[in-house]
Amino acid sequence: MDTILNPLYYAVSWIIVQFHSFFSLIFNKDSGAAWGLSIVSLVVLIRICLIPLFVKQIKATRNMQALQPKMKAIQERYKSDKQRQSEEMMKLYKESGTNPLSSCLPILAQSPFFIALYQVLNKIAGGHEVGVLDQELVDSARRAHIFGAPIASKFMDSASKVESLGSTLTDVRVVTVIMIVLMSLSQFYTQRQLMTKNVDLTVKTPFMQQQKMLMYVFPIMFAVFGINFPVGVLVYWLTTNVWTLGQQMFVIRRNPTPGSLAYTQRQERLRAKGKLKEDPAEVEARKAVEAARAARQQPKRQTKAKRQVAGTAQPVGDTKKTSLEKDRDDQPGDAKSKQGGTSRSAKSGQRKGGPQRPKHPSKK
């Protein structure tokens, strides 16, 4: 493997040495600031070179989001024929000019440099020359500490190995844990920002579920594998996460996905500044909706006493009385009582003087 990656070892070590020579003019050449900033500068240089791939990644991600409904329809239509399903998917990608692998290009392009830096730091920890780093530079890098932890030390190193690098196991583990937590949080927030602000909320697709799952999977992966990374690699990965977060914030603010929350916020900003050219019909329709909403009268809030009075009020239908009830109400109290008694007796007399029900044979 060293034979295959040897050119990358030379490239990575040469870049680090050039930056180290520059920062040695400001800081002590054996300090963690000089070597740590050299690693940070390596990240910045690589990410600047990967900006065109990042733009392709953004476009590919948007195209994949737009194609999700069509892809789902193809999957439903040819769910029993996997070969035909794959052919239709490839045809759809070709017609739309979308490459599913484009969304992974920045990570794939950055991986060889990440592996090369990992191996270079391992060589430095062992005191071996690597690339253009001679023994003097290797010894200088071994003496460099970042917040008390050597840049070539790892969380899982033994106490004797850490002591040989001029530090303590406690310092190394505290620094590595803090950096791993920061690395995981930055990755989580980057993915969450993409899901909550730059996704078309009007379309529910499986792609959104995959992105949501990755939002939790990636930080866990960083936390698990981070304990085996040297401090210098953690500096590299934390820097690239922060770069990705800032770069994504810039893109989302300036060129968000249509239909997303960030797109709506951008439209509002442009409308407030008067820079948004809108269709006059849409403007009139929006004003009409706002005017209707403002003119809509809300029901007045009533007190508890008013609500009770309204609840005990007699219904409108009960205010109309029949002529018989009116005549009875006009009579004196005794007449009404007699009339009521007569009517009750008449009703009861119907049972007495009228036809009787035949008794059951068993009651004779």
Side-chain angles (χ1 to χ4, degrees):
M1 185 175 179
D2 287 346
T3 305
I4 299 174
L5 295 178
N6 198 46
L8 277 177
Y9 294 166
Y10 273 93
V12 170
S13 60
W14 184 83
I15 294 172
I16 291 177
V17 167
Q18 300 307 311
F19 281 119
H20 178 260
S21 300
F22 171 75
F23 288 114
S24 295
L25 301 175
I26 306 172
F27 306 100
N28 185 355
K29 66 177 183 178
D30 297 334
S31 65
W35 286 102
L37 289 175
S38 300
I39 296 174
V40 172
S41 301
L42 171 68
V43 176
V44 173
L45 179 63
I46 294 174
R47 294 308 301 265
I48 290 175
C49 295
L50 294 179
I51 286 178
L53 295 181
F54 180 77
V55 173
K56 287 186 177 181
Q57 179 192 23
I58 294 295
K59 292 181 178 179
T61 303
R62 290 185 179 178
N63 290 337
M64 290 295 293
Q65 290 177 355
L67 291 178
Q68 285 301 315
K70 295 181 179 180
M71 293 170 61
K72 189 174 182 180
I74 291 175
Q75 292 173 354
E76 292 293 332
R77 185 175 181 181
Y78 302 105
K79 59 182 177 181
S80 58
D81 190 350
K82 297 298 182 182
Q83 183 177 356
R84 181 65 184 279
Q85 185 182 121
S86 301
E87 292 175 356
E88 292 295 326
M89 287 288 188
M90 296 304 297
K91 184 179 178 180
L92 180 62
Y93 293 148
K94 187 176 180 180
E95 291 176 351
S96 60
T98 303
N99 184 2
L101 296 178
S102 297
S103 59
C104 303
L105 284 177
I107 296 177
L108 295 176
Q110 195 176 185
S111 297
F113 294 95
F114 174 78
I115 296 172
L117 179 63
Y118 179 83
Q119 294 297 331
V120 167
L121 291 174
N122 275 341
K123 297 285 186 180
I124 291 174
H128 306 296
E129 297 181 4
V130 56
V132 299
L133 289 169
D134 55 19
Q135 193 62 47
E136 181 181 357
L137 289 173
V138 169
D139 293 338
S140 175
R142 281 169 58 87
R143 291 191 294 269
H145 291 183
I146 297 178
F147 301 110
I151 64 172
S153 61
K154 295 180 286 188
F155 181 89
M156 300 302 293
D157 284 346
S158 62
S160 58
K161 184 176 181 179
V162 172
E163 288 176 0
S164 66
L165 296 173
S167 182
T168 63
L169 190 61
T170 302
D171 291 340
V172 171
R173 292 190 171 178
V174 169
V175 171
T176 52
V177 166
I178 292 174
M179 296 187 72
I180 289 171
V181 170
L182 293 176
M183 189 171 61
S184 300
L185 289 177
S186 60
Q187 179 64 36
F188 174 80
Y189 187 77
T190 300
Q191 197 68 24
R192 186 177 182 274
Q193 179 182 239
L194 181 65
M195 286 296 302
T196 57
K197 289 190 175 182
N198 204 38
V199 173
D200 188 355
L201 301 177
T202 61
V203 180
K204 302 295 182 180
T205 62
F207 180 78
M208 296 175 63
Q209 297 298 326
Q210 295 173 5
Q211 294 294 322
K212 188 175 181 180
M213 181 181 66
L214 293 176
M215 182 171 63
Y216 297 98
V217 170
F218 276 151
I220 294 174
M221 289 177 59
F222 281 126
V224 171
F225 295 110
I227 59 175
N228 293 312
F229 291 162
V231 173
V233 173
L234 294 179
V235 171
Y236 175 95
W237 207 251
L238 178 60
T239 306
T240 194
N241 280 359
V242 173
W243 177 281
T244 302
L245 176 60
Q247 188 173 249
Q248 183 173 273
M249 289 177 65
F250 178 82
V251 172
I252 289 176
R253 182 175 177 83
R254 295 298 183 91
N255 192 18
T257 301
S260 63
L261 177 61
Y263 182 82
T264 303
Q265 294 174 347
R266 178 178 177 271
Q267 296 297 96
E268 292 296 333
R269 290 196 304 269
L270 293 178
R271 188 179 294 113
K273 295 179 181 179
K275 297 181 179 180
L276 184 63
K277 295 181 179 180
E278 296 181 296
D279 187 2
E282 293 182 0
V283 175
E284 292 297 331
R286 186 172 63 252
K287 288 182 178 179
V289 171
E290 292 176 355
R293 187 179 302 166
R296 186 184 303 163
Q297 294 182 356
Q298 298 294 334
K300 295 182 179 180
R301 188 173 181 180
Q302 296 180 342
T303 62
K304 186 176 180 181
K306 290 183 178 180
R307 289 197 299 268
Q308 290 177 350
V309 171
T312 57
Q314 186 179 8
V316 177
D318 294 341
T319 58
K320 296 180 180 180
K321 297 183 178 181
T322 61
S323 58
L324 179 61
E325 291 174 339
K326 288 182 179 179
D327 295 340
R328 189 172 59 188
D329 291 340
D330 293 339
Q331 296 176 0
D334 295 338
K336 283 194 286 186
S337 61
K338 290 180 180 179
Q339 185 179 359
T342 305
S343 60
R344 284 194 295 271
S345 61
K347 290 180 180 179
S348 59
Q350 288 178 358
R351 298 296 300 273
K352 292 180 179 181
Q356 299 293 327
R357 291 181 181 178
K359 294 184 179 180
H360 197 273
S362 61
K363 295 183 178 179
K364 290 182 181 180

